[in-house]
Structure formats: C-alpha cells, structure tokens
Amino acid sequence: MFANQALRPWWYLLVAVLLALLPWASPNPYYVNLAQEVAILAIAGIGLNILLGLSGQISLGQAGFFAVSAYGSALLSLRLGWPLAASVMLGVIMSGLAGLVVGSIALRARTHYLAMVTLAFGFIVGILAQRWTGFTGGSMGLVGVPPLNWGDPRSAARNFLWTAAALFLAVQITSDFVMQSRSGRVLRTISESESFAATVGINAAAWRVGAFVVSAMLAGLAGALFAHQSGYVSSDAFNLDRSLAMLIVVVVGGLGHRYGPVLGAVFLVAMNQAIADLYTYSNFIFGALLLAVMVFLPDGLSGLGALVRRKRPASLRRNEAGPGAPGVGDIVNLPLIAVARGEPLLQLQQVSKSYFGLAALSDVSMTVRAGTVHALIGPNGAGKSTLINTICGLYRADSGVIRLAEHDITQWPAHRRARLGLARTFQNLQLIGGLSVIENVMLGVPDRGGVVKAFVSWLCGRPFESEQRARARALLGFLGIEGFADVSPGDLSYGHRKLAELARALAGQPQLMLLDEPIAGINEEESRLIAAGIGRLREAGVTILLVEHDMPFVMSVADEITVLDYGQKIAFGAPDAVRANPVVVEAYLGVETA
Amino acid sequence: MIATDLVQVLLSGIALGSVYTLLAMGLFLTYATSRALNFGQGDFLALAAFLGMAGMLAGMPLIAVVIGVAICMAALGMLIERFAVRRIISRSKAGAAHLGWILSTLGFGMMLQNVIALAWGKSRYYSPPLFSSGEKQLVSLFGAGVFLEELAIGAAALVLAGTMYVLLYRSDWGRRVAAVSFDRHTAMLLGIDVKRTVMWSYVVMALLTGAAGLLVGPLSSIQSHMGMLFLLKAFAAISIGGFTNPAGLLIGGIAFGVIESLSNYVDSTFGDLYPFIIVLLFLIVRPMGLFGERKTDVR
Amino acid sequence: MNVKRGIGWVIGIAILALSAQAVAENVKVGVVQALSGPPAIVDFGESYLQGIEAALREYKAARPKHEVEIVTYNDEANPQRAVSLVQRLISNDRVSAVIGTVNAASVVAFSPILQQAQIPVLIGPSTATDITARFIAQKPSYVFRCSMVENHMIDAVLDWAIKRYKKIGLIHTTSGYGMFALAEIQKGMAQRNVQLVAVESGAPTVTDMTPQILKLKNAGVELLLVYHDSPELIYRAFQKVDYKPAVAASWGLSSKMTVNVIGKDAIEGAVMAQALDLNNAKAKGFDEMMTRALGDKYRWPVVAALGYDAMRIMLGAIDRAGANAARIRDALESTEGFAAVSGIPAKPFSATDHECVDPSQVFMGVWRGGRVVKLDN
C-alpha cells in the first residue's frame, strides 16, 4: 500500500484529517450515522480478522463478546454513574476475560467444533441477555444509557463519530502493524501448522488464546460504543445475525487482508441500506451478492484491487552470494548451551513410543556428541521419523528419558525445546505459504522483545525489525538464495525451498539441528551444496542429527551413525564400521537391495 | 416424572433428533468430500417441506410427491455444488483460511428463502399428513400419543443412517468418498473422478435433507425462515457425534433432540439454553466429538 | 388612486389564488415495519402495512389536497436497524411523519429520536404498554399510537377468565413480547388476588412443545393463556397428549393464518382481546374491500383495520396541516369526528392521551366457524 514506507506517518495523518472532516463532507446527518455504524462494525471486524484471518480460528459467537461489554459499560454508567471512559474500559476488559475463558476452553477444539463452541457461547449470552430481564432489561431494553457525546447533546452525532473514528483508526494502525510484524507472522504460522510453529519455539496455545482475547476485546470495544451510541441497549441486538454480520464483514472484505474489515463494513452497511425498501426481494439480492462476491473474488473485496492492478512481476533474479557474503562465524554465534565439543549433547535413554499398541520405538538409547554430524539410518518404517518427532517434542515419549545438555527435556513441550536451541527441518517441507521467503526465515530468529520500539519505528516510517531482517538476509545469502528473499515460497523450486527451510532452521542459532531427509528430491549440485553447508556448520560448532536414505551422502558427511530397524537400535558407530556390520547389511537386504 | 410422561417426552425428542440426524448426515457428507458445509441446507429443508405441502394439497399421491421432491432436491444439490461451492473449494490452498463457502452457501440459501416467501408467503403452515387422512394420524405407544410421521421420521433416520453406514464402508461409492476425503490429489491420481464424487455427495446431501423436510412438514409448522434454526441444531448434533461416521451422527442427533425435549420438560424457561450448555461442556471434554479422533498435523 | 388600489386588490387576489394553489404540498410519510423475519412478526408488519396502503390508495383516488407518498422500510424487527432507518427517514428522506413498527424494542429505541427531531410518530402495531406514556409529560409529545395496548387486552382477558375458571395456566414465548406479557399477566393476576397454577414457556427456537403441554396438563390447567408466537405447536401437542383446555390468547391468535395452520375445528371457541367487530357494517365493508383487493394475502382483519385507521388519521391531519411536522402533530392531537372501522373513537387523542384505543373499546373476540366474532357476555 505504501510505495514508500517513510510516508507511512503522513498517510495515517491524512486519513485522520479526512475522518475528522467527515461530518462536514456528509450531505446530511444520516450519513454521519452510517459512518458511525461503519466504524463500529470495522472495529469488531478487525478483531475477527485477527482471530480468523490470521490465527485461523473461527468464531460464530462474536456477538457474545460484543454483548458482554455493551451491558458492562451500559450498566456501569447507568446504574453506578461511572464516567464513560472508565465504564467502556472495564467493559472491554470484561469482554477480554470472556475471550480468555472461551479461548481457553476452546483450545482443544478445531474448525467446526470450534465454530460450535463459539456458537454455543453466543447463544448462551444472547439467551441470558433476553431472559435475565431484571439485570439487562431483556428485549425491552435498558433506556437512558448515557450517550457518548462529550456532554454536548447538540453535536452528539459528530462527537460520537469522532470518537468512533479515532478508535477505529487506532485499531486499524495497530492491526496494520500486527500484519507486518512478527506477531502477524507467528499467527499466520499457527494457522497453517501448530506443530511446525512449536518447532520454531512458538507457544501456539498461548498465541491462540491471545488472539481470542484480542478479538474479544475489539468486539467488546465495538459493543461498548454501540451501547453509548443511541443510549438504548436491547437484547435483540445480540443474536446470531450480529455474529454472522461480523463474519460477512471479514470474509467479504477479504480474510487476512489489512483493509478487509473496513471494506466489508462499508459493504454491509451500504447493502443493508440499499435493500431496506426492497423488502420483497431483499434476501434474494443480498444472497446473490454474497454468492457472487465469494465466487468471483476469492480474496473478497480486497482482491478487487489486485484484479485492477497489473500482476506484479515476480523478481526471480538469483543473486549469487558475492565475496561480501558473511562467513559462517557471523551467522552461527552465541551458543545457548555451553557443551564442549565431543561431550554428549543429546542423550536418549531407553526411549519407547507406541501407537495403538504398535511399538514404533522400543528402548532406544543413543548419544549425539556436540560438534558432530550424527546420521540416523534404517529401512522404511524403522522408526526414524518417530524418533525425530519424539526428540523435537511433537510426540511425547511413552517411557525413557531425553536429555539436551544438562536439561531433562522428556516432558517439555516442543516450543520450549526449540527455544533451548533445538531446530529442525521437515521431510515434507514446512514453509508458510502466506509469508515471503525472508519472513519464513525470520520466524526462526528468536524474539528479543522490543515490540514497542518496533512499533514506534514502524509508525514513524523508519525501518523496523531490522536486526532480524538483516540476519535472515545474511542467512539466505550464506545459502546462496538471497535473490529470492521477497518471493512466496510456493514460487521456488524444490531445492531452493529446502535451502530456505535450512536457513529458517539456522536462524534460531541452534545447538542441535535435526535434519529430516535434507537432500531427498533435490539434484546433485544442490545436494553437494547442502553437504558443504553441513560441513561448515559443524566447523562452527553446530551439532547435527540427520535422517537420510542416500548412503553415499550419509557416508560422506556423518561422523557417527545409528541404525534403527523395527523401532530398535541395531547398530552404532563410525561410517566404515557400520557399513561393515553384518546386522545392518542384513536389515537392509531384508527390505531393500543395498 | 410419571412413566408415560417420560415416554412421551423421549418419543418427542427422538422424533426431533431424527430430523437433526438426517441433516447432520448431509453436513457430514459434503464435509467429507469438499471440506465445506452447506449453510443453506436449512433452506433446502424448508423448500422440501413446502414442496411436499404443495404436492399433498394438490392431491398428488404420496409416491409422486416423494419422487417430485427428490428430483427437485437432487437438482438443487447439483446447482449449489456447481455454482456456490466448486470454484471456491478448488482454489483453496492448503492451510489458508478460505471460508468463502460459508457465505456462498449462505447466500444461496437466502435466495431460496426469498423464493419460498414469494411463492408461499412468510407465514406459518402445516403440511397435510402424509400417511393418513382425517383424524387417525395418532397412534398410542406405551400410553403416549405419537404421530405417524414421528414414527416415520425415526424409522427414516435409522434406515438411512444404516444405509449410509453400509454404503460408506462397503460400496465403491463409499471408497471413492473416503479417498477424496483423505486427499483430493491422491484420489485424482488413483483415477477417481473427484468432481463427480463431490457433486454426488451434494446430491445425496440434498436428498437426505429433502427426506427430513417432507417428514418435518406435518410434524412441526413450516415457514420460509425456519432453515437456520434446524441447521444449527443439526450442527450441534454433528459436533456431539463427530465428523467421522454415521453411527455417531445418529447418536448425536437423537441425543440432542432428547436433551432438548427433557430440558423443556424440566425447566422450559431456559429450555433452549441447557442443550447448548451441555454441548459446550461436552466439547470441553471431547473437543472432536464422540467418535472424532485427534490427528496431529505433523507432515 | 382608485385604479392603483384596484390593481393592488387584483394582485392581492391573484397572489391569494396562486398561494391557495401552492398549498397543495408534497408530503412524505415514513413507514417502518418488520417485513421479513419470524412469521409471527411479519404477519403483524405486513397486515398493518396492507391497511396503510389501502388507506393511501383511497386517499389518492379521491382527488386529494396534498400529494402524499409513503417511504417504506423493512426493519427486520431489529431495533438497531429501526433506529438507523428512522434516522434515514428524518435526515435523508425528510419525512413529515412516521408510522411504525411491530417490535416494542424498536419502538422504544426510535421514539426518543423522533421526539427530539420533533417529527410525529404514529406507533403501531406494537402493543407494549407504556410507550406513549413515556413522552406524554413532554409538552408537546410527538409520540402517538394506533394499536391495542397490552395491558388493556390482558385486563380484558383476565376479567373474562377469572370469572369462569379456577385453574389458569400460562404458556408464553421467551422473546421480548412473551417476557413482557408474562410480567403484565403476573401483575394483573396479583391485582385480582389469583395465582397462575402453572407457567411454561417455549423459546422461539423450540419446534415441539409436547413437554410443556404435558406439564400444563399434569397441573390440571382448565384455561390456558397462550402468549406464544406459534400457537399451532401448542394445539399440535394438545392432540398428542389428549388434552383440551379452554384457550384465551393474545390477539396474535386472531390472524387468519392461525386458523389455517391450527384448523377450524381445533381453534373453535378460543378467545382473545379484539378491537374490530366484523358484525359492524363499516368493519364488514372494510373486510370485504380488503379481501377483494388482496385475496389470500389479506389475513388479519383487526391489524389491517388498525393500520388503515392509523393512516386515515394521519392523512386527515396532513390535509389540515400540510407538510409541516409540528402542525401535523397538532392536527393529530386535535383530530375529531373520525369514523373508524375499528374500535377507535371519533376523537382518538387528547393532550393527555396519545393512545387511540381506550380500554372501553377493547372487547373479547372468539373463533366461531372460522371467523373471529364478538363474544357475547
């Protein structure tokens, strides 16, 4: 959107001025009222966009959060005489708490079950609002809720619009920042794969609940504004239709797009007005329009711009790493765990894992020494992938102990292990389609806080997150794919994607890298590159545990080899010794021709 | 609670639950093949009920009404798949949150709703009884009065759930559905005509919904606006049963119907609240339904 | 001099003549009604609108003084939409008066806005009790109503009921209307020192009321007060549990749609409050006129008649006042000699009473042979 990000603050300032002038631009007060509705809907929509568009969690109960805050703020100001600023704030906090509760109990539910949980929540709030008439006034409503007019009833519409528009702009700016910064990347990652997110150190559960809380608070802010808009709150305003309206706003606007919610809000308010006097055919028209938008504009109204604009030519220039490219030492520094080279770094003691009574691993014990390249080989179905997943924490071992340096990590969740310096790549590539290559790599760069600092830099149009970006770029340069930094991973060749994944794993300054079939499916030149890379990483002190079928490759890079068959360790030793081991030869001969 | 009361309440709940079960089977099928649910399915139900009513009032024989409604429903199933679902699901990338189908099917349903309102008005109606003329539509069962249609819909739910079970696990069509459900691309590589399989799942969904609509007409009053209500309850039923097998849907559907009936008996002031609280609590304990198994998304 | 004066006179008369011509003004009346959504509400909204449109047709056919048009919006029984649409009527369509709507919550929400904008509103067919009373103290109040008032109807029903039955039960919907009726009925019973023997409710989402009816039967209810949007579900359950109490209901039961859906025989004898006596010649004429004009679509005599009368009162006021909202208000309040088809009196309003139907015009109606007729005491 911004041709030049230095213009960002000026652009926002311009929008602010335009919003402030809106009351004079509107032909009559009715349009001021519509603008208020758009602002309220857009605020709630931005909340749902963060929840659904970014974190991938659906909610059909946003009206519930909307209602909690609307009643909270209305009752506090009406019955207890609180000033609006305080009552709105507490109302929003109450919605946030409701979001915390719903988000937590919904943590294990996904997709349609999550839809049901939120739907039920919305129903429950709606029913209580309707029946608990002594408290909420029910359908007949609370009358005389103090309106938000800055104490001036004659300019009420204008003053309310200014308040709502200012809040909308603040929420929109924050949302813009989220979409362009680390939190947005993290949420998009969780949305695609929570397991993968855990392996780059993301606490997916906390982020998911967090997204719920934020979206509930924004729905709550909209609800509180609504309560003080006309001074009348009736339970009829909090039914399923309102939750569906919010869904229409974000999906029609374009899920996960920055300006989706506001576009959707304008659409919905305009539609509702357009069909108000066409009641005989209103459902038909509205339905047909929803259908058409969804069928012809996959990205909703946000996709309209892309239809008009020429498709941007993807810059697929490949830059060779020049002489100025950073050395390994610059990239792999700051070891998190001090384990002397050659000392045991990862130790497995009698680790077992079974599924449905079928043993995938039985009593596997092994040691990976620091600074070595350790290969894990074995026929298909030997349990190699299970072992890797058990080490990185995606699976929990049934019994046994796993130690990383001095830590017993057996019961640790995956994201905690990742933060200790355990990085991995996947047999089936895990790159997040919604992010560019460099953003994928930045996922691996540990978060060093400084959100506020980043936000201020971003808002002022200065470079932000530059340290992470520079580091990611350096890693891409190190692996010779810097030229693809701003490309979507889907546009890369398979080999380049493997390299990009390697870069992402390296970004976390890992102590131990788990590489799951690093050269499967790529050409010889690229596998030589990877072999060389592995060698350089070892020099830099990174320990590597890799699973690979390609024997010549394994023999050329590995210092030590562990052989698995039927979930059991059948051999261990230096490459030459393993190759000569009759048990290993037999295991391979039994399954595939060696 | 008197014993006959209990029987009466349970029977009412089972009849309602059967409607939810039939709808839930439709949801389940389209979800399996296309990962989409038809949010207009409730409006399909309403249309089938109105068509059935129109046919019966016009004096058509029952069998002709059934065939007529089936043809209309099948055509609608094809239409919605072709125009509201196919393009949207074919471009949804793995993992990306594309929920366009929610709104496209919702929009399709709204159009149907408007058509019903134009043809029959926005009021409430009863469809004439399907199986009897005059007064004798009531039979006595363990001392409780039951409408023939209530028995019929219970039987239909049982038979259709059984048939579905057999078809899904024993027939070629079932294998194709399972393959497409597992992975569209793999299914394509196996030589399965994915498009056709998806389309047929929508046809079967529409037929199941049509059966429910025909039977619900004489049971409860019908109106152009009724769709969403039934759909949501079917959705609750499938959340209890899980998106995995027809037996779960039967249990989920009947359970939800019975819970609804019982809570209206125990405390009708909050008769609509308890079922949703129970579903919520159930999902906290079993977040993937009764028969849903938790899959880790390790790739 | 005389010539000059003569010319002056001529000009003066010409101006007067021209301005008499110019007095024919364009007047817009806003109508907000629930025209889609739950059937019980739409039946009200559509029927009332049918009455309004019939009155306007007649008015236009009779070479009117002013050019009157209505701007009709559908509020979907949603208060927020109703507020937004009323704001649109005031600021964008610049209407001189407003008529509407069914939903009490919508009426409560938009009345203060119209009062503040000084645009007269004729509320209907909402029945919630204290709507005009909230504004009557404000001089002048712009809020009028042309509909039944719930507590008048409940008083009529309860007076009738307690004389005849010992065991009275209630089934009500949980929507805003039902919760409101519940409170009013309990208040009315308490005033009469009697108690309901059983109270059951059915949410609008409930599609089978067998359980509730069983409990009413077990409680031995002889007279059932029905304040529910779907009485057909209640009658359905009567059949199932073999139970036939007497029924007294809200005026919702007087719609022809209910007899269609419940059946002529089943509904026979059910009573409700009414303000339209079809045995009255004018009412009969109206009924026949509407049936001719609309056929099946005309389904609720009393509601359509109230809409018809409301619009005629409005048109009468416009005739006298033109497009000026404040003058229309005054003219509404001072309406006299009005010939209603419903039970509305010749002078519907006064400075202290903005309800056009008074308790004295409310009587009990009963279903007899597929028609609602006045119940003889």
Side-chain angles (χ1 to χ4, degrees):
Chain A
M1 201 64 173
F2 306 109
N4 181 348
Q5 54 168 285
L7 289 178
R8 185 178 291 128
W10 305 110
W11 166 254
Y12 284 134
L13 203 61
L14 179 70
V15 174
V17 169
L18 289 178
L19 286 175
L21 293 177
L22 212 58
W24 288 283
S26 101
N28 63 48
Y30 159 66
Y31 288 91
V32 174
N33 195 256
L34 291 188
Q36 296 174 355
E37 276 182 44
V38 169
I40 291 175
L41 256 182
I43 290 172
I46 289 170
L48 187 56
N49 198 31
I50 288 171
L51 184 67
L52 179 55
L54 291 185
S55 87
Q57 301 180 89
I58 194 168
S59 168
L60 295 179
Q62 291 300 95
F65 302 124
F66 189 90
V68 165
S69 170
Y71 279 119
S73 185
L75 288 168
L76 284 172
S77 57
L78 181 66
R79 300 250 193 276
L80 303 181
W82 282 35
L84 291 193
S87 71
V88 168
M89 223 178 284
L90 196 67
V92 170
I93 290 171
M94 283 157 63
S95 285
L97 289 176
L100 184 67
V101 172
V102 174
S104 308
I105 64 178
L107 206 49
R108 294 200 300 149
R110 294 292 182 282
T111 61
H112 306 89
Y113 304 98
L114 179 60
M116 188 62 226
V117 168
T118 53
L119 191 66
F121 166 74
F123 269 126
I124 290 167
V125 172
I127 291 170
L128 289 176
Q130 190 193 49
R131 312 285 156 78
W132 196 359
T133 48
F135 186 62
T136 64
S139 168
M140 296 299 284
L142 293 171
V143 187
V145 177
L148 205 169
N149 57 11
W150 307 356
D152 176 9
R154 277 170 306 132
S155 317
R158 190 195 67 198
N159 292 348
F160 186 90
L161 176 60
W162 278 344
T163 315
L167 288 170
F168 157 71
L169 189 61
V171 169
Q172 178 73 55
I173 290 174
T174 314
S175 152
D176 286 354
F177 173 68
V178 166
M179 297 239 174
Q180 291 177 21
S181 64
R182 179 176 170 86
S183 25
R185 294 194 294 274
V186 167
L187 288 171
R188 285 186 201 275
T189 304
I190 290 168
S191 161
E192 277 201 26
S193 169
E194 282 174 54
S195 318
F196 163 69
T199 64
V200 289
I202 295 168
N203 184 349
W207 279 92
R208 284 187 51 169
V209 176
F212 247 107
V213 171
V214 169
S215 89
M217 288 175 80
L218 290 179
L221 180 59
L225 282 173
F226 167 79
H228 299 293
Q229 185 188 22
S230 64
Y232 177 69
V233 182
S234 153
S235 67
D236 291 4
F238 309 115
N239 50 20
L240 177 67
D241 284 354
R242 182 174 293 274
S243 294
L244 284 180
M246 293 186 205
L247 191 70
I248 289 172
V249 162
V250 292
V251 178
V252 165
L255 264 186
H257 289 270
R258 285 161 61 185
Y259 299 109
V262 65
L263 287 174
V266 170
F267 167 87
L268 189 65
V269 169
M271 266 313 291
N272 275 336
Q273 292 298 327
I275 60 174
D277 55 349
L278 301 170
Y279 41 88
T280 319
Y281 304 100
S282 56
N283 267 339
F284 198 90
I285 297 168
F286 195 38
L289 217 70
L290 281 186
L291 180 61
V293 170
M294 287 301 101
V295 169
F296 296 113
L297 294 172
D299 282 330
L301 296 176
S302 299
L304 217 51
L307 279 185
V308 180
R309 238 182 292 131
R310 262 182 322 115
K311 248 194 160 176
R312 254 181 308 167
S315 55
L316 282 169
R317 289 168 294 110
R318 172 162 180 181
N319 292 353
E320 292 297 335
V328 193
D330 299 335
I331 293 158
V332 187
N333 46 14
L334 294 171
L336 295 170
I337 319 164
V339 173
R341 194 178 281 262
E343 293 297 309
L345 176 64
L346 174 76
Q347 288 174 290
L348 273 64
Q349 290 160 10
Q350 299 184 317
V351 170
S352 296
K353 172 79 189 166
S354 59
Y355 312 108
F356 308 112
L358 223 68
L361 294 175
S362 26
D363 291 335
V364 175
S365 299
M366 63 183 280
T367 299
V368 177
R369 289 181 299 119
T372 62
V373 175
H374 195 120
L376 188 61
I377 64 171
N380 280 331
K384 304 184 296 287
S385 290
T386 304
L387 189 59
I388 291 276
N389 282 332
T390 310
I391 292 170
C392 82
L394 290 181
Y395 297 163
R396 209 52 64 83
D398 297 337
S399 62
V401 176
I402 305 172
R403 293 179 166 280
L404 188 63
E406 76 272 24
H407 303 279
D408 177 352
I409 61 169
T410 319
Q411 298 304 324
W412 286 24
H415 68 267
R416 235 182 120 190
R417 302 186 196 196
R419 289 177 189 171
L420 198 62
L422 210 156
R424 69 167 291 183
T425 65
F426 291 81
Q427 186 177 346
N428 300 328
L429 292 167
Q430 290 278 21
L431 289 167
I432 303 303
L435 302 177
S436 67
V437 168
I438 192 163
E439 285 174 329
N440 265 287
V441 177
M442 285 165 78
L443 276 178
V445 182
D447 182 17
R448 288 201 219 295
V451 182
V452 176
K453 198 177 131 235
F455 178 69
V456 172
S457 302
W458 172 85
L459 189 61
C460 297
R462 291 199 300 267
F464 65 106
E465 296 183 333
S466 38
E467 198 182 315
Q468 287 101 311
R469 203 166 287 272
R471 189 176 163 75
R473 201 167 286 279
L475 278 164
L476 289 173
F478 169 64
L479 291 168
I481 52 170
E482 196 186 354
F484 299 121
D486 299 316
V487 172
S488 162
D491 296 338
L492 291 186
S493 75
Y494 193 71
H496 287 146
R497 272 188 270 169
K498 285 244 167 197
L499 288 167
E501 214 195 9
L502 199 59
R504 197 246 302 122
L506 273 172
Q509 301 172 343
Q511 268 300 301
L512 175 63
M513 283 183 72
L514 307 174
L515 306 182
D516 199 352
E517 307 205 5
I519 65 160
I522 66 176
N523 66 32
E524 260 180 63
E525 190 216 328
E526 285 165 335
S527 63
R528 264 199 300 280
L529 266 177
I530 288 186
I534 289 173
R536 290 159 78 190
L537 288 173
R538 177 174 55 180
E539 280 167 35
V542 178
T543 314
I544 290 169
L545 173 62
L546 63 87
V547 168
E548 187 49 68
H549 281 294
D550 187 298
M551 278 308 148
F553 176 82
V554 170
M555 294 301 160
S556 71
V557 298
D559 297 319
E560 287 173 332
I561 296 177
T562 296
V563 188
L564 284 185
D565 195 14
Y566 293 114
Q568 287 175 321
K569 185 168 98 176
I570 56 170
F572 165 75
D576 290 335
V578 167
R579 188 170 15 208
N581 189 328
V583 186
V584 176
V585 174
E586 197 200 321
Y588 268 84
L589 278 178
V591 181
E592 58 191 60
T593 359
Chain B
M1 195 189 284
I2 315 162
T4 49
D5 275 19
L6 185 65
V7 173
Q8 184 84 61
V9 170
L10 284 179
L11 284 175
S12 284
I14 290 170
L16 281 177
S18 303
V19 181
Y20 309 150
T21 302
L22 290 175
L23 290 177
M25 284 200 286
L27 288 171
F28 161 73
L29 256 185
T30 57
Y31 176 74
T33 59
S34 66
R35 292 288 178 272
L37 304 174
N38 175 7
F39 267 60
Q41 206 178 320
D43 302 300
F44 279 44
L45 174 89
L47 184 68
F50 273 95
L51 287 174
M53 179 184 81
M56 295 302 286
L57 286 178
M60 285 162 67
L62 181 59
I63 184 75
V65 173
V66 170
I67 292 171
V69 169
I71 291 172
C72 290
M73 285 293 117
L76 266 185
M78 284 186 194
L79 271 180
I80 197 171
E81 191 275 329
R82 178 68 191 80
F83 291 107
V85 177
R86 189 179 294 176
R87 275 183 70 147
I88 290 170
I89 57 167
S90 68
R91 68 177 162 231
S92 60
K93 290 166 271 177
H98 270 286
L99 296 170
W101 51 264
I102 294 186
L103 297 191
S104 65
T105 54
L106 188 73
F108 193 94
M110 288 172 80
M111 292 164 76
L112 276 188
Q113 198 177 317
N114 205 148
V115 169
I116 296 171
L118 286 174
W120 287 281
K122 292 169 186 165
S123 289
R124 289 152 297 165
Y125 303 89
Y126 261 123
S127 192
L130 296 176
F131 305 109
S132 53
S133 50
E135 309 300 304
K136 282 299 290 172
Q137 11 165 354
L138 212 58
V139 293
S140 182
L141 213 66
F142 309 109
V146 188
F147 285 115
L148 281 174
E149 281 79 10
E150 289 182 282
L151 295 178
I153 199 159
L158 201 63
V159 168
L160 289 173
T163 313
M164 186 72 96
Y165 195 90
V166 173
L167 281 178
L168 279 177
Y169 294 103
R170 298 272 181 277
S171 78
D172 261 4
W173 175 74
R175 272 186 283 278
R176 283 199 294 274
V177 168
V180 173
S181 173
F182 180 73
D183 185 76
R184 282 172 76 86
H185 296 286
T186 314
M188 245 177 253
L189 293 176
L190 292 172
I192 290 169
D193 187 341
V194 174
K195 261 188 200 164
R196 266 178 80 93
T197 311
V198 174
M199 190 195 75
W200 276 104
S201 72
Y202 276 80
V203 170
V204 176
M205 172 276 293
L207 290 174
L208 288 165
T209 311
L214 265 183
L215 289 162
V216 87
L219 214 64
S220 180
S221 55
I222 59 176
Q223 29 126 336
S224 61
H225 203 63
M226 69 197 270
M228 189 50 92
L229 177 70
F230 277 95
L231 180 69
L232 291 177
K233 291 179 182 176
F235 194 53
I238 200 171
S239 304
I240 296 176
F243 279 83
T244 40
N245 85 47
L249 302 182
L250 189 65
I251 295 172
I254 303 286
F256 192 79
V258 168
I259 291 168
E260 226 189 337
S261 245
L262 280 175
S263 47
N264 274 322
Y265 187 85
V266 174
D267 175 14
S268 63
T269 315
F270 288 101
D272 53 342
L273 180 65
Y274 302 123
F276 284 104
I277 289 185
I278 290 171
V279 169
L280 194 63
L281 293 177
F282 180 84
L283 284 176
I284 293 172
V285 182
R286 288 205 63 100
M288 303 299 264
L290 200 56
F291 288 107
E293 65 182 59
R294 185 68 191 275
K295 275 182 259 170
T296 340
D297 58 351
V298 176
R299 289 178 232 180
Chain C
M1 200 66 172
N2 260 0
V3 176
K4 265 191 175 174
R5 184 175 283 180
I7 293 173
W9 270 108
V10 170
I11 292 174
I13 289 166
I15 289 173
L16 266 180
L18 280 174
S19 59
Q21 209 56 30
V23 167
E25 295 176 70
N26 285 320
V27 187
K28 279 187 182 176
V29 177
V31 176
V32 179
Q33 284 297 350
L35 301 167
S36 68
I41 283 179
V42 178
D43 276 350
F44 271 106
E46 286 190 346
S47 297
Y48 203 82
L49 180 61
Q50 285 167 357
I52 291 174
E53 286 173 342
L56 185 63
R57 269 198 307 275
E58 278 182 13
Y59 179 79
K60 284 188 166 171
R63 287 212 320 121
K65 194 166 162 196
H66 299 297
E67 199 63 40
V68 178
E69 64 170 306
I70 57 172
V71 183
T72 309
Y73 293 136
N74 172 13
D75 69 10
E76 297 173 7
N78 172 340
Q80 201 202 353
R81 269 179 80 69
V83 165
S84 166
L85 292 170
V86 162
Q87 254 144 357
R88 180 173 173 183
L89 287 170
I90 296 172
S91 320
N92 203 50
D93 301 316
R94 306 200 156 276
V95 297
S96 303
V98 171
I99 303 180
T101 180
V102 192
N103 194 3
S106 302
V107 171
V108 175
F110 70 51
S111 295
I113 295 169
L114 287 158
Q115 172 71 26
Q116 207 192 352
Q118 306 192 331
I119 308 274
V121 54
L122 209 47
I123 289 165
S126 172
T127 60
T129 302
D130 70 337
I131 285 175
T132 64
R134 287 182 188 191
F135 297 92
I136 203 71
Q138 307 199 14
K139 303 283 180 204
S141 161
Y142 283 79
V143 182
F144 300 82
R145 166 156 53 189
C146 243
S147 180
M148 308 273 268
V149 182
E150 199 62 52
N151 63 353
H152 300 170
M153 294 197 283
I154 286 175
D155 281 342
V157 168
L158 294 185
D159 285 339
W160 175 87
I162 56 167
K163 273 186 260 164
R164 291 167 177 77
Y165 297 96
K166 282 271 160 297
K167 291 185 156 187
I168 302 174
L170 168 68
I171 185 152
H172 67 94
T173 166
T174 57
S175 70
Y177 173 70
M179 298 307 283
F180 170 74
L182 168 70
E184 296 273 300
I185 289 171
Q186 279 172 336
K187 208 164 65 192
M189 293 293 274
Q191 282 164 3
R192 289 166 178 78
N193 287 320
V194 272
Q195 288 230 311
L196 292 167
V197 295
V199 178
E200 290 291 319
S201 56
T205 54
V206 168
T207 51
D208 179 1
M209 298 217 271
T210 313
Q212 289 95 320
I213 299 303
L214 258 181
K215 286 185 78 179
L216 291 165
K217 182 188 180 189
N218 292 345
V221 170
E222 301 160 356
L223 172 74
L224 183 59
L225 304 176
V226 174
Y227 282 78
H228 197 276
D229 298 335
S230 303
E232 72 279 8
L233 297 176
I234 293 163
Y235 276 90
R236 200 66 168 175
F238 285 166
Q239 254 181 298
K240 273 172 75 173
V241 307
D242 191 22
Y243 172 46
K244 191 128 183 51
V247 168
S250 69
W251 66 328
L253 200 74
S254 62
S255 164
K256 280 185 187 166
M257 297 317 291
T258 33
V259 74
N260 289 349
V261 74
I262 289 170
K264 220 167 93 177
D265 300 331
I267 207 170
E268 181 77 12
V271 304
M272 79 299 293
Q274 283 290 289
L276 180 77
D277 182 2
L278 283 178
N279 292 327
N280 171 310
K282 262 184 298 183
K284 209 169 178 175
F286 170 77
D287 192 48
E288 283 162 5
M289 182 267 290
M290 292 298 278
T291 312
R292 261 198 317 277
L294 295 168
D296 273 359
K297 291 203 171 114
Y298 166 65
R299 54 188 183 269
W300 205 338
V302 61
V303 177
L306 285 167
Y308 179 75
D309 282 344
M311 188 62 180
R312 282 167 60 231
I313 293 174
M314 180 63 81
L315 289 167
I318 289 170
D319 263 349
R320 281 172 280 136
N324 182 292
R327 283 169 57 195
I328 293 177
R329 190 215 79 86
D330 296 343
L332 280 173
E333 198 168 83
S334 61
T335 299
E336 275 178 33
F338 180 68
V341 298
S342 64
I344 295 174
K347 178 164 174 39
F349 304 116
S350 73
T352 52
D353 174 21
H354 279 195
E355 297 286 352
C356 70
V357 179
D358 301 325
S360 60
Q361 284 105 37
V362 178
F363 56 86
M364 295 302 289
V366 63
W367 279 104
R368 289 256 186 273
R371 261 163 51 98
V372 175
V373 296
K374 193 169 178 175
L375 182 70
D376 305 315
N377 282 320

